[in-house]
């Protein structure tokens, strides 16, 4: 008896079947995106206890040592000027005879920290702030600023509290506010004869300066 032939196409003779089989066997290239996607899938499907520590509470950060908190310190040989370094400088430390340029905010403690002057408000023709220039050790500026700058590095920012004895001793010492009304208010407060006679001289002239040492140039 003749064997009946099946007319149905076999899987071995079906080209579409071969394409699917070959496609399933060829591995896909591994990319960073596929790695990140598979990692994210593993993390999202992983049980919580496999990710967190057994205590299920994140560990507390280590305590910050007290020495890491910035504090005011008295500058040696400054006559009582206290300083707080807001930013450490990266350059050299100036010496007497150097021409230094600084930016500053000047405030008067007796007027609740009233800002009487700022070099950032002194603009040139291009609108850029003009720093204050002086020769270190010349005696033309108040002693408290000189004491602060002498131990700073270029690029540093320092806040100083200057007692009256190291501040303005007369109205010709620099820096002098360029605005007439600010200058008048500053000096009439510091050199107020009535209040000085009442013994308030120890507080009237206390100054607060934020100083940025921009540059130092040797002669």
């Amino acid at each position: 008896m003749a064997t009946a032939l099946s007319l149905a196409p076999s899987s071995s003779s079906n080209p579409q079947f071969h394409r699917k089989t070959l496609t399933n066997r060829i591995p896909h290239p591994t990319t960073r995106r596929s790695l990140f996607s598979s990692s994210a899938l593993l993390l999202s499907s992983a049980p919580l206890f496999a990710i967190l520590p057994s205590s299920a509470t994140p560990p507390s950060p280590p305590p910050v040592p007290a020495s890491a908190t910035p504090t005011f310190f008295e500058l040696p040989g400054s006559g009582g000027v206290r300083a707080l370094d807001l930013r450490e400088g990266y350059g050299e430390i100036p010496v007497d005879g150097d021409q230094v340029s600084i930016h500053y905010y000047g405030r008067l403690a007796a007027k609740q920290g009233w800002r009487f002057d700022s070099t950032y408000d002194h603009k040139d023709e291009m609108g850029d702030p003009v720093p204050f220039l002086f020769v270190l050790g010349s005696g033309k500026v108040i002693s408290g600023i000189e004491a602060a700058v002498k131990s700073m590095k270029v690029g540093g920012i320092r806040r100083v509290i200057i007692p009256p004895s190291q501040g303005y001793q007369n109205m010709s010492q620099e820096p002098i506010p360029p605005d007439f009304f600010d200058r008048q208010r500053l000096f009439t407060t510091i050199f107020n004869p009535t209040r000085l006679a009442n013994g308030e001289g120890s507080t009237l002239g206390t100054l607060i300066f934020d100083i940025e040492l921009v540059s130092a140039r040797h002669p």
Side-chain angles (χ1 to χ4, degrees):
M1 177 182 290
T3 306
L5 295 176
S6 174
L7 299 178
S10 66
S11 60
S12 60
S13 62
N14 189 346
Q16 188 173 3
F17 173 82
H18 282 292
R19 285 197 297 270
K20 290 182 179 179
T21 306
L22 289 173
T23 305
N24 291 337
R25 289 180 181 177
I26 297 175
H28 293 285
T30 302
T31 62
R32 284 189 295 174
R33 179 177 296 180
S34 63
L35 286 175
F36 291 147
S37 301
S38 59
S39 301
L41 181 62
L42 287 173
L43 287 175
S44 61
S45 59
L48 186 60
F49 58 80
I51 303 172
L52 294 179
S54 57
S55 61
T57 348
S60 302
V64 179
S67 58
T69 306
T71 55
F72 279 93
F73 60 95
E74 184 170 332
L75 296 173
S78 65
V81 177
R82 291 185 295 151
L84 173 66
D85 285 322
L86 303 178
R87 185 178 73 193
E88 186 70 23
Y90 53 83
E92 59 182 349
I93 299 175
V95 297
D96 284 348
D98 288 353
Q99 184 184 62
V100 297
S101 63
I102 64 173
H103 277 300
Y104 64 79
Y105 287 101
R107 300 191 296 275
L108 185 62
K111 291 290 185 181
Q112 292 77 44
W114 163 63
R115 191 179 75 179
F116 59 84
D117 192 17
S118 169
T119 55
Y120 295 100
D121 296 334
H122 308 164
K123 304 293 178 67
D124 59 14
E125 311 83 52
M126 304 298 295
D128 296 323
V130 179
F132 173 64
L133 303 176
F134 68 97
V135 176
L136 195 61
S138 63
K140 293 183 178 180
V141 302
I142 58 177
S143 301
I145 288 183
E146 288 218 355
V149 172
K150 281 182 178 180
S151 56
M152 291 179 67
K153 293 180 180 179
V154 172
I157 299 178
R158 172 175 283 180
R159 177 169 296 168
V160 289
I161 301 176
I162 302 174
S165 61
Q166 305 302 312
Y168 290 102
Q169 305 303 306
N170 55 66
M171 292 183 286
S172 62
Q173 282 184 297
E174 297 179 343
I176 300 174
D179 183 83
F180 171 78
F181 295 102
D182 289 339
R183 187 165 62 246
Q184 186 180 44
R185 185 182 182 190
L186 173 67
F187 291 141
T188 53
T189 301
I190 294 176
F191 303 115
N192 186 305
T194 305
R195 299 183 67 176
L196 288 173
N198 292 336
E200 299 180 54
S202 60
T203 58
L204 289 179
T206 300
L207 306 170
I208 305 168
F209 271 88
D210 289 348
I211 302 172
E212 177 186 4
L213 181 54
V214 178
S215 67
R217 189 175 66 183
H218 301 301

